[in-house]
Amino acid sequence: MTTTHLHSDQLVAYTGDGSRVVVWRSEPRSTPRGVVVLAGGFAQRMRHMGAIAAYLVANGALVYRFDPVRHPGLSDGNVGSFSLSALSDSLQAVRELAEKENPGETPVAVASSLAARAAVRLATRGSGFARLVLLVGVVDYRRTLAQALGTDYSTWTIDELPATITIEGQVCDPRAVWLDERDQRWGGAEETVIDLLSVRVPVINFVSVSDEWVDAEQVEGIFRLGAGGERYIVRLPEGQHRISANPVALRTLLRMLTTVALCPQDRIAEVVATQDDLPVIAEPGFDELVTLTVQERARERAEAHSSAARSSGAVI
Amino acid sequence: MTSLAPAGPLTTSDLPAVHELDALVFSEGSCFEFAEDQERDVRLRVIRDAVALHAERSPLYAGLVERRGFTVERLQDERDLPTVPVLPTSVFKRTLVTSDAGGQVVRTFLSSGTHGRLSLVPRDETTLQRLLGSVRVGLRLLDANEDTDADDAQIINLGPSRQQAGDIWFGYVMSLIEIISETGHYVVDGRLDLAGAAAHVARASRDVGRAFVVGPPVFVCALAAYLTERRISVDGSNITVITGGGWKSHAALDGPTFTRTAITALGLPDASCLRDAFNQVELNSVLMECAAGRKHAPPWLYPMTRNERLEPLSDGEPGLLSYLDPTAVSYPCFIVGDDLGRITPGRCPCGSGGRLVEITRRLDGPADAGCALKMQDRFDLGEASP
Ligand SMILES: [Zn+2]
């Protein structure tokens, strides 16, 4: 009965500084309809993106997902030194890997939460992505951090910062975050508008109206101002930042997300507007998704153990 | 529903609203924290919607509703809920009760056992998702779900894996615990692997993370006996035992004896580390015991008691347990079963909401007793049969 149809090969991509980014590549059964680089938000590992990957692959996408460096998961570095640039560098490395493996194909980015901000930045560089599909995509990095931390540390001086900060249960060094925010100008809403003005490709953001991290009205304002190309907002009715908590809502969302990620570009507007008539898509079932969750958690654990064993062997 | 607002190159639209019931079943916070009147209002609304749905979609239920002259408009207050027509669970043994017209059913589940007729209950994706939601909500009474550190917990399931459980409901529901953390399943090909389970328990008790031992009481007893006989000492300060499957009719397994045996063998700090969960194949929600030892219905579920003529009884009056469960889409889950019990009036001292169900005993004779005993029939208990 319950075998999962999603098979993933493990690959490695490298960031500019040589850090290892561990990647799971999942191929559809037939010739791919498109290439997708799938990026989770802060504290989301690639195994948490299994359901989205399963939907995309079931509908013909070749999907690359990854654990960023300096982040929980299988890649190099520790979350203690997390920065948005580390996430962005990881996304960039995986995009390059996907392009190298699929010459002539420009990948679509499907990026959740903080990873969305990184995807927008990468797309300003011209050859980035064919399309950005953002899931509760962060558009005001400073505000989101302030919401998550209860304090806007960007207004503090570096000497005033506490020894550690905790984001989504992960303990990080605020200096790494603070310096990266300043040096890379991730900034607030204005910086995103500036970035978006030079993003020519379509950007679709799925936003939740009751999200404490991302303000739906603010996204709309930023998308109107940052109209370097087609912009779309799909509002989710319920739930907070982590829409994945509600599988019944998630199902509607994933149908839509899968369709806008894979449809021809000239159909996006129609798909967003007439969602009632979404084409019938292949959907992974309940048992398959439960099996996938269980198998990928076990796989991550096994990989982490074997890589720990390898590195302790190297020391000896 | 869809608003198209073209202003420059920005297009916006709205995804359809999520039903209130799903917002509740899949809420991120604890849905046991409603004020009493708020909980009553929500429950009334979601049950009313469900009754309307099944009265339309299930020919069998529609017939019952018509014979009783019942209309959904009557449901104005929680006090009206006992008037909702209910199906005796024996009906599920005689006929396929379904509200599915469109081929959405993914699997038809069977009650366990080898004696008598089996109940057949068809479930679709949404029904299964909500069942899993109710498992997660129940686990919050144990401060355990996959969003917490429980991701690093170890689970010892004295039952089959989901694959091995197949369509047998009891094993299937128990196996869903694997969603919260890595799980060892110790009923393999119908045989309880006590040595494997005992080794896992001993290993887990030396770890810093939490551990959960899940299974029918007879199997937990078998494990306890095995540990004791082999003098395997376990420091279970990090262990919670979750039992399920119905067992009170088994004379050798009265509550206090079971509690003492399990505490001693597993080295549990106290009885609050033993939690009983309740479900049956016809019911789509799970009732979990809190730290105070009470079984909480999730806030969407309306449990009540009835007399032998199936007439509603007041809270506190012992009778046949009956449930209005709005989470099932593929069949009408408005049922009266075989178990005797009562509704404990008022709020639980633990502070969590939900109606409180006390299950006294199964009505059926020994041949048709609880699922756990049927599982005992089905499975070879290995070398340490209790
Ligand atoms: Zn309680």
Side-chain angles (χ1 to χ4, degrees), chain B residues 27-83:
Chain B
S27 60
E28 286 187 61
S30 175
C31 57
F32 284 114
E33 281 161 12
F34 284 115
E36 242 176 308
D37 53 342
Q38 203 186 356
E39 182 184 303
R40 273 200 297 268
D41 291 349
V42 173
R43 186 161 47 223
L44 179 70
R45 282 198 299 273
V46 296
I47 290 176
R48 192 166 47 203
D49 285 359
V51 173
L53 178 101
H54 294 290
E56 189 189 310
R57 291 203 194 157
S58 162
L60 187 134
Y61 192 67
L64 178 65
V65 163
E66 205 187 320
R67 283 197 301 283
R68 296 284 158 82
F70 176 82
T71 58
V72 176
E73 290 69 41
R74 271 204 214 158
L75 300 177
Q76 295 298 323
D77 186 278
E78 176 141 293
R79 283 178 301 237
D80 303 327
L81 286 177
T83 65

Coordinates of all heavy atoms in Angstrom, one line a residue, chain B residues 27-83:
Chain B
S27 N -5.4 23.8 14.4 CA -4.9 25.0 15.0 C -3.5 24.7 15.6 O -3.2 23.7 16.1 CB -5.9 25.5 16.1 OG -5.9 24.4 17.1
E28 N -2.7 25.8 15.5 CA -1.3 25.6 16.0 C -1.3 25.7 17.5 O -0.4 25.1 18.1 CB -0.4 26.7 15.4 CG -0.1 26.4 13.9 CD 0.9 27.3 13.4 OE1 2.0 27.4 13.9 OE2 0.6 28.0 12.4
G29 N -2.1 26.5 18.0 CA -2.1 26.7 19.5 C -3.0 25.5 20.1 O -3.4 24.6 19.3
S30 N -3.2 25.5 21.4 CA -4.0 24.5 21.9 C -5.5 24.9 21.8 O -5.9 25.9 22.2 CB -3.7 24.2 23.4 OG -4.6 23.3 23.9
C31 N -6.2 24.0 21.2 CA -7.7 24.3 21.1 C -8.4 23.8 22.3 O -9.6 23.8 22.4 CB -8.3 23.7 19.8 SG -8.0 21.9 19.7
F32 N -7.7 23.4 23.3 CA -8.3 23.1 24.6 C -8.4 24.3 25.5 O -8.7 24.2 26.7 CB -7.5 22.0 25.3 CG -7.7 20.6 24.8 CD1 -6.7 20.0 24.2 CD2 -8.9 20.0 24.9 CE1 -6.8 18.7 23.6 CE2 -9.1 18.7 24.4 CZ -8.1 18.1 23.7
E33 N -8.1 25.5 25.0 CA -8.0 26.7 25.8 C -9.2 27.6 25.7 O -9.2 28.7 26.2 CB -6.7 27.4 25.6 CG -5.5 26.8 26.3 CD -4.2 27.2 25.7 OE1 -4.1 28.1 24.9 OE2 -3.2 26.5 26.1
F34 N -10.2 27.2 24.9 CA -11.4 28.0 24.8 C -12.1 28.2 26.1 O -12.1 27.3 27.0 CB -12.4 27.3 23.9 CG -12.1 27.4 22.4 CD1 -11.8 26.2 21.7 CD2 -12.1 28.6 21.8 CE1 -11.5 26.3 20.4 CE2 -11.8 28.7 20.4 CZ -11.5 27.5 19.7
A35 N -12.7 29.4 26.3 CA -13.7 29.5 27.4 C -14.9 28.6 27.1 O -15.1 28.2 26.0 CB -14.2 30.9 27.5
E36 N -15.5 28.2 28.2 CA -16.6 27.2 28.0 C -17.7 27.5 27.0 O -18.1 26.7 26.2 CB -17.2 26.9 29.4 CG -17.0 25.5 29.9 CD -17.6 25.3 31.3 OE1 -17.2 26.1 32.2 OE2 -18.4 24.4 31.5
D37 N -18.2 28.8 27.1 CA -19.3 29.2 26.2 C -18.8 29.3 24.8 O -19.5 28.9 23.8 CB -19.9 30.5 26.7 CG -18.9 31.6 26.9 OD1 -17.7 31.3 27.0 OD2 -19.3 32.8 26.9
Q38 N -17.5 29.7 24.6 CA -17.0 29.8 23.3 C -16.9 28.4 22.7 O -17.2 28.2 21.5 CB -15.6 30.4 23.4 CG -15.1 31.1 22.2 CD -13.6 31.6 22.4 OE1 -13.1 31.4 23.5 NE2 -13.0 32.1 21.3
E39 N -16.4 27.5 23.5 CA -16.3 26.1 23.0 C -17.6 25.5 22.6 O -17.8 24.9 21.6 CB -15.6 25.2 24.1 CG -15.4 23.8 23.7 CD -14.9 22.9 24.9 OE1 -13.8 23.3 25.5 OE2 -15.6 21.9 25.2
R40 N -18.6 25.8 23.4 CA -20.0 25.3 23.1 C -20.5 25.9 21.8 O -21.1 25.2 21.0 CB -21.0 25.7 24.2 CG -21.0 24.7 25.4 CD -22.3 24.9 26.2 NE -22.4 26.2 26.8 CZ -21.9 26.5 28.0 NH1 -21.4 25.5 28.8 NH2 -22.0 27.7 28.5
D41 N -20.3 27.2 21.6 CA -20.7 27.8 20.3 C -20.1 27.2 19.1 O -20.7 26.9 18.1 CB -20.4 29.3 20.4 CG -21.3 30.0 21.4 OD1 -22.3 29.4 21.9 OD2 -21.0 31.2 21.7
V42 N -18.7 27.1 19.2 CA -18.0 26.5 18.0 C -18.5 25.1 17.8 O -18.8 24.7 16.6 CB -16.5 26.5 18.3 CG1 -15.7 25.8 17.2 CG2 -16.0 27.9 18.5
R43 N -18.6 24.3 18.8 CA -19.0 22.9 18.7 C -20.4 22.8 18.0 O -20.6 22.0 17.1 CB -19.0 22.2 20.0 CG -19.3 20.7 20.0 CD -18.8 20.0 21.2 NE -19.3 20.7 22.4 CZ -18.5 20.9 23.5 NH1 -17.3 20.5 23.5 NH2 -19.0 21.6 24.5
L44 N -21.3 23.6 18.4 CA -22.6 23.6 17.9 C -22.6 23.9 16.4 O -23.2 23.2 15.6 CB -23.5 24.7 18.6 CG -25.0 24.7 18.1 CD1 -25.7 23.5 18.4 CD2 -25.7 26.0 18.6
R45 N -21.8 25.0 16.0 CA -21.7 25.3 14.6 C -21.2 24.2 13.7 O -21.7 23.9 12.7 CB -20.9 26.6 14.4 CG -21.6 27.9 14.8 CD -20.9 29.1 14.2 NE -19.5 29.2 14.7 CZ -19.1 29.9 15.8 NH1 -20.1 30.5 16.6 NH2 -17.9 30.0 16.2
V46 N -20.0 23.6 14.2 CA -19.4 22.6 13.3 C -20.2 21.3 13.2 O -20.3 20.7 12.2 CB -17.9 22.4 13.7 CG1 -17.1 23.6 13.5 CG2 -17.8 21.8 15.1
I47 N -20.9 21.0 14.3 CA -21.7 19.8 14.3 C -23.0 20.0 13.4 O -23.4 19.2 12.6 CB -22.1 19.3 15.7 CG1 -20.9 18.8 16.4 CG2 -23.2 18.3 15.7 CD1 -21.1 18.4 17.9
R48 N -23.5 21.3 13.5 CA -24.7 21.6 12.7 C -24.4 21.4 11.2 O -25.1 20.8 10.4 CB -25.2 23.0 13.0 CG -26.6 23.3 12.4 CD -27.2 24.5 13.0 NE -26.2 25.6 13.1 CZ -26.2 26.7 13.9 NH1 -27.2 26.8 14.8 NH2 -25.3 27.6 13.9
D49 N -23.2 22.0 10.8 CA -22.8 21.9 9.4 C -22.6 20.4 9.0 O -23.0 20.0 7.9 CB -21.4 22.6 9.2 CG -21.6 24.1 9.2 OD1 -22.8 24.6 9.3 OD2 -20.6 24.8 9.0
A50 N -22.0 19.6 9.9 CA -21.8 18.2 9.6 C -23.1 17.4 9.4 O -23.2 16.6 8.5 CB -20.9 17.6 10.6
V51 N -24.0 17.7 10.3 CA -25.3 17.0 10.3 C -26.0 17.4 8.9 O -26.5 16.5 8.2 CB -26.2 17.4 11.5 CG1 -27.6 16.8 11.3 CG2 -25.6 16.9 12.8
A52 N -26.0 18.6 8.5 CA -26.6 19.0 7.3 C -25.9 18.3 6.1 O -26.6 17.8 5.2 CB -26.5 20.6 7.1
L53 N -24.6 18.2 6.1 CA -23.9 17.5 5.1 C -24.3 16.1 4.9 O -24.6 15.6 3.8 CB -22.4 17.6 5.3 CG -21.5 16.9 4.3 CD1 -20.9 18.0 3.4 CD2 -20.4 16.1 5.0
H54 N -24.3 15.4 6.0 CA -24.6 13.9 5.9 C -26.1 13.7 5.7 O -26.4 12.7 5.0 CB -24.1 13.2 7.2 CG -22.6 13.2 7.3 ND1 -21.8 12.5 6.5 CD2 -21.8 13.9 8.1 CE1 -20.6 12.8 6.8 NE2 -20.5 13.6 7.8
A55 N -27.0 14.6 6.1 CA -28.4 14.4 5.9 C -28.6 14.6 4.4 O -29.6 14.0 3.8 CB -29.2 15.4 6.6
E56 N -27.7 15.3 3.7 CA -27.8 15.4 2.3 C -27.2 14.3 1.5 O -27.7 13.8 0.5 CB -27.2 16.8 1.9 CG -27.5 17.2 0.5 CD -26.7 18.4 0.1 OE1 -26.7 19.4 0.9 OE2 -26.0 18.4 -0.9
R57 N -26.0 13.9 2.0 CA -25.2 13.0 1.2 C -25.3 11.5 1.5 O -25.0 10.6 0.7 CB -23.7 13.3 1.4 CG -23.4 14.6 0.7 CD -21.9 14.7 0.4 NE -21.4 16.0 0.1 CZ -20.2 16.4 0.2 NH1 -19.3 15.6 0.7 NH2 -19.9 17.7 -0.1
S58 N -25.8 11.1 2.7 CA -25.9 9.7 3.1 C -27.3 9.3 3.0 O -28.1 9.7 3.8 CB -25.3 9.5 4.5 OG -25.8 8.2 4.9
P59 N -27.7 8.5 2.0 CA -29.1 8.0 1.9 C -29.5 7.4 3.2 O -30.7 7.6 3.6 CB -29.0 7.0 0.8 CG -27.8 7.3 0.0 CD -26.8 7.9 1.0
L60 N -28.7 6.6 3.8 CA -29.1 5.9 5.0 C -29.4 6.9 6.2 O -30.4 6.8 6.8 CB -28.0 4.9 5.4 CG -28.3 4.0 6.6 CD1 -27.8 2.6 6.2 CD2 -27.6 4.4 7.9
Y61 N -28.5 7.9 6.3 CA -28.7 8.8 7.4 C -29.9 9.8 7.1 O -30.6 10.1 8.0 CB -27.4 9.6 7.6 CG -27.4 10.4 8.9 CD1 -27.5 9.8 10.1 CD2 -27.5 11.8 8.8 CE1 -27.6 10.6 11.3 CE2 -27.6 12.6 10.0 CZ -27.6 11.9 11.2 OH -27.7 12.7 12.4
A62 N -30.0 10.1 5.8 CA -31.1 10.9 5.4 C -32.5 10.3 5.7 O -33.4 10.9 6.2 CB -31.1 11.2 3.9
G63 N -32.5 8.9 5.5 CA -33.7 8.2 5.9 C -34.0 8.3 7.4 O -35.2 8.5 7.8
L64 N -33.0 8.1 8.2 CA -33.1 8.2 9.6 C -33.6 9.6 10.1 O -34.5 9.7 10.9 CB -31.8 7.9 10.3 CG -31.7 7.9 11.8 CD1 -32.6 6.9 12.4 CD2 -30.2 7.8 12.3
V65 N -33.0 10.6 9.5 CA -33.4 12.0 9.8 C -34.8 12.2 9.5 O -35.6 12.8 10.3 CB -32.5 13.0 9.0 CG1 -33.0 14.3 9.0 CG2 -31.1 13.0 9.6
E66 N -35.2 11.7 8.3 CA -36.6 11.9 7.9 C -37.6 11.1 8.8 O -38.6 11.7 9.3 CB -36.8 11.4 6.5 CG -38.0 12.0 5.8 CD -38.2 11.4 4.4 OE1 -37.2 11.1 3.7 OE2 -39.4 11.3 4.1
R67 N -37.3 9.9 9.2 CA -38.1 9.1 10.1 C -38.3 9.8 11.4 O -39.4 9.7 12.0 CB -37.6 7.7 10.3 CG -37.8 6.8 9.1 CD -37.6 5.3 9.5 NE -36.3 5.0 10.1 CZ -35.2 4.8 9.3 NH1 -35.2 5.0 8.0 NH2 -34.0 4.6 9.9
R68 N -37.2 10.4 11.9 CA -37.3 11.1 13.2 C -38.0 12.5 13.1 O -38.2 13.2 14.1 CB -35.9 11.3 13.8 CG -35.2 10.0 14.1 CD -35.8 9.4 15.4 NE -35.5 8.0 15.4 CZ -34.3 7.5 15.7 NH1 -33.4 8.2 16.2 NH2 -34.1 6.2 15.7
G69 N -38.2 13.0 11.8 CA -38.8 14.3 11.7 C -37.8 15.4 12.1 O -38.2 16.4 12.6
F70 N -36.5 15.1 12.0 CA -35.5 16.0 12.5 C -35.1 17.0 11.4 O -35.1 16.7 10.3 CB -34.3 15.2 12.9 CG -33.1 16.1 13.4 CD1 -33.1 16.6 14.6 CD2 -32.1 16.4 12.5 CE1 -32.0 17.4 15.0 CE2 -31.0 17.2 12.9 CZ -31.0 17.7 14.1
T71 N -34.9 18.3 11.8 CA -34.4 19.3 10.9 C -33.2 20.0 11.6 O -33.2 20.2 12.8 CB -35.4 20.4 10.5 OG1 -35.8 21.0 11.7 CG2 -36.6 19.8 9.8
V72 N -32.2 20.4 10.8 CA -31.0 21.0 11.3 C -31.3 22.3 12.0 O -30.6 22.7 12.9 CB -30.0 21.2 10.1 CG1 -28.7 21.9 10.6 CG2 -29.6 19.8 9.5
E73 N -32.3 23.0 11.5 CA -32.7 24.3 12.0 C -33.0 24.2 13.5 O -33.0 25.2 14.3 CB -33.9 24.9 11.3 CG -33.6 25.3 9.9 CD -33.4 24.1 8.9 OE1 -34.0 23.1 9.0 OE2 -32.4 24.3 8.1
R74 N -33.3 23.0 14.0 CA -33.6 22.8 15.4 C -32.4 23.0 16.3 O -32.5 23.2 17.5 CB -34.0 21.3 15.6 CG -35.5 21.1 15.5 CD -35.8 19.9 16.3 NE -36.9 19.2 15.6 CZ -37.1 17.9 15.8 NH1 -36.4 17.2 16.6 NH2 -38.1 17.3 15.2
L75 N -31.2 22.9 15.7 CA -30.0 23.0 16.5 C -29.6 24.4 16.8 O -28.9 25.1 16.0 CB -28.9 22.3 15.8 CG -29.1 20.8 15.6 CD1 -27.9 20.2 14.8 CD2 -29.3 20.0 16.9
Q76 N -30.2 25.0 17.8 CA -30.0 26.4 18.2 C -29.1 26.5 19.4 O -28.5 27.6 19.6 CB -31.3 27.1 18.5 CG -32.3 27.1 17.3 CD -31.7 28.0 16.2 OE1 -31.0 29.0 16.4 NE2 -31.9 27.5 14.9
D77 N -28.9 25.5 20.1 CA -28.2 25.6 21.4 C -27.6 24.2 21.7 O -28.1 23.2 21.2 CB -29.3 25.9 22.5 CG -28.6 26.2 23.8 OD1 -28.3 25.2 24.5 OD2 -28.5 27.3 24.2
E78 N -26.6 24.2 22.5 CA -25.9 22.9 22.8 C -26.9 21.9 23.4 O -26.8 20.7 23.2 CB -24.8 23.1 23.8 CG -24.1 21.7 24.2 CD -22.6 21.8 24.3 OE1 -21.9 21.9 23.3 OE2 -22.1 21.6 25.4
R79 N -27.9 22.4 24.1 CA -28.9 21.5 24.7 C -29.7 20.7 23.6 O -30.4 19.8 23.9 CB -29.9 22.3 25.6 CG -29.3 22.6 27.0 CD -30.2 23.4 27.8 NE -30.6 24.7 27.0 CZ -30.4 25.9 27.5 NH1 -29.9 26.1 28.8 NH2 -30.7 27.0 26.8
D80 N -29.7 21.3 22.4 CA -30.4 20.6 21.3 C -29.6 19.4 20.7 O -30.2 18.6 19.9 CB -30.7 21.6 20.2 CG -31.5 22.8 20.7 OD1 -32.3 22.6 21.6 OD2 -31.3 23.9 20.2
L81 N -28.3 19.4 21.0 CA -27.5 18.4 20.3 C -27.9 16.9 20.5 O -27.9 16.1 19.6 CB -26.0 18.5 20.7 CG -25.3 19.7 20.0 CD1 -23.9 19.9 20.6 CD2 -25.3 19.6 18.5
P82 N -28.4 16.6 21.8 CA -28.9 15.2 22.0 C -30.0 14.8 21.0 O -30.3 13.6 20.9 CB -29.3 15.2 23.4 CG -28.5 16.3 24.1 CD -28.4 17.3 23.0
T83 N -30.7 15.7 20.4 CA -31.8 15.4 19.5 C -31.3 14.9 18.1 O -32.1 14.5 17.3 CB -32.8 16.5 19.3 OG1 -32.1 17.6 18.6 CG2 -33.3 17.0 20.6

